[in-house]
Amino acid sequence: MGKIGTQPGAEAKHKEVDIGFMSIFIDSANINEAKTALGLGWVQGITTNPLLLAQADMEPSAFFTELRKFCDGPIFYQLTSNTFESSIAEAHRVLELLEKQLVVKLPPTELGFKLCSELSSRIPCCPTAIYSPAQALVARESGAQYLAVYVNRATRLMGDGLKLVEDIAAVLEESQTQLLAASLKSTDEATLAFSAGAHHLTLPYSTVKEMSNHPLSDEAIKQFNESGRGLDQT
Ligand code: G3P
């Protein structure tokens, strides 16, 4: 069969990590950013890609080993091999490393969707850089658990990334495939992507840090702190 779970021990090691109805992930391969974001309590996991890993100051395997010391949620890793056989072998290697936390990202190509069909019954798969509802339908039919839509890039390159999210959310209705909005550059873009139908968001570190803040909240809290009273004040 060639299914990944037919490798000795592979199926036993991979049990899908339970995630909530909606999850926010950090999009980073920086270990300090990852630690801070995952320590906030509401960031559920991490997405990486080959470019982020290339910019990191650690080898990918060292990064993932360190990451697993404090991350117990989904960890997205994108396969970089160019053939079916070498991609399956790469998936096995990363499964050994990440076990049940692994989500395999795949390019939206004939090879990528074929790999998705092959792997998705054993490992959650996420075709990435999806730019059309047609690709989303193929991802759905390939058994993808997620697909990643590059929202800001789509706005820059095609005109309206949020409309793309809406259109793709429509073709994913009543399927097992969940829309992960990626390439989000601001808190507004993140929340609008969610309102447009994204099930999950992955945010760069800077946006993660901005999400919980508002200057008017700071002002209100300053006033409470300066003039208020609670159990600890006499
Ligand atoms: O995982 C990368 C994806 O979020 C794309 O982001 O900033 O390269 O458009 P960006």
Side-chain angles (χ1 to χ4, degrees):
M1 284 165 65
K3 297 271 186 193
I4 195 160
T6 61
Q7 295 292 312
E11 190 168 13
K13 272 188 181 164
H14 192 273
K15 185 167 166 290
E16 190 182 318
V17 170
D18 189 30
I19 57 167
F21 176 72
M22 179 262 189
S23 295
I24 296 178
F25 303 117
I26 178 166
D27 194 30
S28 176
N30 177 297
I31 202 72
N32 296 320
E33 291 181 357
K35 193 165 198 170
T36 303
L38 289 158
L40 293 172
W42 48 268
V43 175
Q44 309 286 347
I46 182 164
T47 60
T48 66
N49 68 39
L51 291 177
L52 290 172
L53 286 167
Q55 291 157 12
D57 53 9
M58 298 172 79
E59 288 298 311
S61 58
F63 170 76
F64 288 119
T65 301
E66 187 63 25
L67 180 66
R68 292 193 75 203
K69 293 178 183 170
F70 55 84
C71 175
D72 56 10
I75 300 174
F76 289 65
Y77 172 82
Q78 187 167 332
L79 299 185
T80 55
S81 304
N82 291 322
T83 66
F84 185 83
E85 289 72 20
S86 59
S87 298
I88 294 290
E90 186 181 0
H92 287 148
R93 287 202 305 280
V94 72
L95 181 63
E96 285 293 313
L97 203 56
L98 300 181
E99 300 183 323
K100 64 181 181 179
Q101 291 174 266
L102 173 63
V103 179
V104 172
K105 289 172 75 180
L106 297 158
T109 57
E110 286 187 12
L111 172 61
F113 287 124
K114 183 175 174 177
L115 286 161
C116 187
S117 298
E118 178 73 13
L119 296 173
S120 59
S121 64
R122 310 287 178 181
I123 301 177
C125 288
C126 177
T128 190
I130 296 287
Y131 281 100
S132 76
Q135 289 178 309
L137 272 181
V138 177
R140 174 182 170 150
E141 289 306 298
S142 305
Q145 175 161 341
Y146 306 90
L147 59 79
V149 178
Y150 282 5
V151 179
N152 190 274
R153 283 200 212 186
T155 296
R156 280 182 279 134
L157 301 171
M158 299 163 65
D160 193 345
L162 293 171
K163 176 69 168 52
L164 180 63
V165 170
E166 263 182 44
D167 293 346
I168 289 179
V171 305
L172 296 182
E173 269 180 25
E174 294 178 19
S175 79
Q176 63 165 17
T177 309
Q178 300 172 357
L179 197 163
L180 169 65
S183 183
L184 297 164
K185 302 298 179 194
S186 68
T187 57
D188 283 350
E189 194 168 48
T191 51
L192 288 169
F194 182 68
S195 302
H199 301 101
H200 311 287
L201 308 175
T202 186
L203 307 176
Y205 182 70
S206 57
T207 308
V208 167
K209 293 293 281 179
E210 286 167 21
M211 285 295 281
S212 51
N213 299 328
H214 194 284
L216 294 178
S217 305
D218 294 343
E219 206 175 290
I221 297 308
K222 183 166 180 274
Q223 197 179 15
F224 289 137
N225 288 340
E226 285 174 357
S227 312
R229 189 175 189 189
L231 291 177
D232 291 342
Q233 286 84 37
T234 54

